[in-house]
Amino acid sequence: MQYSIEVNNQVQIFDLNKVAKQAAGAALLRVKNTVVLATVAREDSQVEEDFLPLTVQYLEKTYAAGRIPGGYIKRETKPGDFETLTARIIDRSLRPLFPKGYAYPTQIVVLVLSADPDVDLQVVSLNAASAALYLSDIPVNRPVCGVRVAYIDNELVLNPSNQELKNSALDLYVAGTKDELLMIEMRSLPQKTDAITPMAVVDPVIDAAFSELNKQEMNEFSEDLMVEAIDFAAKAILRGSNAYEEAFKDHKKEDAKLELKPEIENENIAVYIDKFYKDEVKNAINQMAKSERASELAKIAEQIASDEVAIAECWELGVINNVLGKYKRKIVREQIINERRRADGRALDEIRPISIETNILPNAHGSCLFTRGQTQALVVATLGTDSDAQLYDLLTEKSAVSEKFMFNYNFPGFSVGEASPIKAPGRRELGHGNLAKRALTPSIDLDSPYAIRLVSEILESNGSSSMASVCGGSLALRAAGIQTQKLVAGIAMGLIFEGDQHAVLSDIMGLEDHDGDMDFKVAGTIDGITALQMDIKLGGISLDVLKEALEQAKRGRAHILSLMQKADDEIVVNEEILPKLELFSIDPNKIVDIIGQAGKTIKEIIERFEVSIDLDREKGEVKIAGDAKKNVDAAKDYIIQITSKDNSKFGARRHDRREHKPRPVFNIGDRFDGVVKNILDFGAFIELKDGVDGLLHVSKIKTPLNVGDKVSVVVSEQKGSKISLSLADQE
């Protein structure tokens, strides 16, 4: 059966009962030339543990874009980052729909079979997965709809094409069902003004002028505009959900007769705890330290198990622990709603104590130790060149994408007191790193000549480690000498619903994250939001409550930014260890002069000054990088000399294509009375003859030399264009 649904600026063609018929549910969805297959399968027996055993996999097939996998193995291997992050989006959108107590192992698999470069794969994949789940015999009776919203020319645009999204200031992804929002992902996209590249050797005045012309605009979104955009998405979700339900309701399988685990495994134990151990549980909850709280609750469980009633009733310790955990959740929530007091004694909008230290690692380019309560992130910045950028393939892009800003998030077990082995980053680590990267990207100049890698090592965790990574990352960039446009801070918000009452919590800790109904992370500058992520664990959230949470997050963000600004003012950049990089423009026609015949000139410059050089023939851009500023500056001066109109006065060595002058021949032992042309950290360059220089290494220099000094030297070695010298009196 085929259904064509026209909704939210898309024509969506669903094929039902056509393929994968042995799965519990399946849907084949086509949008333009993109085709996605989503399937749902479940086991018939429950797991013993009290959790929802749901696994979501999103897999891209390279044949979908008419490609053969690169590398030695010509087949798809482990999922890439985009696949993993997309699987997380689908999981977070569908998980809240499962009924309480559902414990049957369930797998949702989404396969991209054909990829249209202009179609948003994340939107299509979620809608296909939701359709497959809704059509299955699993008791999920509401279809989810996912939409993306862009902000182009001050207008909200629904489900933009991939090309349109590149021109947007906003990337907002929202999933929900009917009038309930379940998941939000948002990032602001930096915009560039029209760039102009000068066509001549640049002097400082011209360079500054063009730098201003190429300056990017940083986009932040106010809370009001954010709510407006989410409301825009919510209306589209309502239309989509209604359209899916109308089309699929007659094809939905009858709900399977499944046993759901009770919320409280033993009600008698719950009553017993409430009657005799309520005060002890409250005292344990209000312990400041996370480890102390867990230890105290374990002691209470053992004490209950040793009671005469527990022994007589044969209450097992495992069951007592399970019931005690759920009773603890009830107490935490009641205390917040009724007493407006949190487990650690804070007010609902109070931020935990913050301490910040920068550049504590002497040999790292930039570092920041950011501590907030019992959450601690050590974020380290490393600067590199274009060759250090991350390359990755996307089905919707014809060629590999180069990513110059990277963010890696690591969460070792010791950060939560566990003795677990260090493994490759999982979905959570990739997701948190991606969130921090999205938050910080708008503050970084897109035309920065550096490749930048941030690594966040979580040393201690009790809530909001991803937001601590944002704060630490923003300061680590400044500590590495990167002039970001503004500081960016992040804060994790929580939400508790009890009946018709609710409470919004600022800077949640692990206990409140675990026992709350919402995990809402907001990052941004003092002027607005750059990224946010929201997950609703049970049901949806209204726009009024969402606006309240955003406004409270704004106040918390301002407090954190004020402390970060003080730390920023005290940063001492370690200039000595930072790599030096120069980016300047010349006449593109002069690029050939830098390269020289068969690349000899550029090789000679690289060897002489110990630098790396990248050339852009179209723009006429020259990028020089090296470990020593003196070497980089000298290489820049030399290149400007050989590309200037009158090269004769500089004595520049170049291979003139018209004259074809042969290079002088040197022999080992040749003696010269040369002139010191340049002095660098590693030695001095001595002019020999015909404008050719040799290197006198610092280890061979007995007395200090100055530029212009005459010195007697002997050729000791020649490798290609590199000539090594010794002092004549040393021979």
Side-chain angles (χ1 to χ4, degrees), residues 249-290:
K249 63 183 181 182
D250 294 335
H251 300 278
K252 177 173 172 51
K253 294 180 181 178
E254 183 178 350
D255 287 351
K257 295 181 180 178
L258 303 175
E259 180 182 349
L260 302 179
K261 290 188 174 183
E263 186 172 358
I264 300 294
E265 191 170 344
N266 189 319
E267 289 288 349
N268 291 330
I269 297 178
V271 172
Y272 186 80
I273 293 173
D274 188 62
K275 183 71 174 177
F276 298 106
Y277 286 93
K278 184 174 183 177
D279 290 340
E280 285 86 344
V281 172
K282 290 192 71 172
N283 289 335
I285 289 171
N286 293 324
Q287 293 285 341
M288 282 295 292
K290 178 181 177 181

Side-chain angles (χ1 to χ4, degrees), residues 327-514:
Y327 182 78
K328 177 260 303 179
R329 178 179 185 272
K330 173 176 175 289
I331 295 298
V332 168
R333 296 166 67 88
E334 286 181 352
Q335 182 172 286
I336 290 172
I337 291 292
N338 299 329
E339 302 175 29
R340 315 305 281 182
R341 185 168 62 91
R342 302 161 73 171
D344 57 5
R346 281 186 291 155
L348 302 189
D349 61 351
E350 186 177 347
I351 312 299
R352 289 173 292 178
I354 292 173
S355 69
I356 303 171
E357 297 178 68
T358 55
N359 276 345
I360 63 172
L361 305 179
N363 226 26
H365 291 164
S367 59
C368 176
L369 182 65
F370 184 91
T371 307
R372 178 164 54 199
Q374 292 179 309
T375 295
Q376 188 176 67
L378 174 62
V379 190
V380 186
T382 308
L383 309 183
T385 62
D386 288 349
S387 61
D388 297 309
Q390 175 71 59
L391 295 177
Y392 57 91
D393 292 315
L394 293 176
L395 285 186
T396 53
E397 297 289 342
K398 293 182 179 180
S399 58
V401 177
S402 177
E403 185 61 68
K404 289 175 61 178
F405 176 48
M406 298 153 276
F407 197 111
N408 300 143
Y409 169 99
N410 298 317
F411 192 88
F414 64 74
S415 66
V416 288
E418 296 177 357
S420 57
I422 303 295
K423 298 180 180 179
R427 290 188 175 192
R428 181 179 179 276
E429 285 87 347
L430 291 175
H432 281 13
N434 183 62
L435 174 59
K437 175 184 173 183
R438 290 189 288 116
L440 293 172
T441 296
S443 70
I444 299 172
D445 185 359
L446 292 174
D447 292 320
S448 169
Y450 291 104
I452 303 170
R453 180 183 184 230
L454 286 177
V455 179
S456 178
E457 308 286 2
I458 303 304
L459 306 183
E460 188 178 3
S461 179
N462 186 9
S464 193
S465 59
S466 63
M467 295 295 95
S469 299
V470 171
C471 300
S474 186
L475 287 168
L477 290 170
R478 294 282 180 92
I482 299 296
Q483 293 303 308
T484 54
Q485 297 194 49
K486 298 175 186 176
L487 288 174
V488 179
I491 183 171
M493 308 296 293
L495 184 65
I496 303 290
F497 280 111
E498 286 293 337
D500 58 354
Q501 292 183 291
H502 73 272
V504 178
L505 310 178
S506 296
D507 181 27
I508 58 174
M509 56 184 176
L511 177 73
E512 295 161 340
D513 186 7
H514 182 270

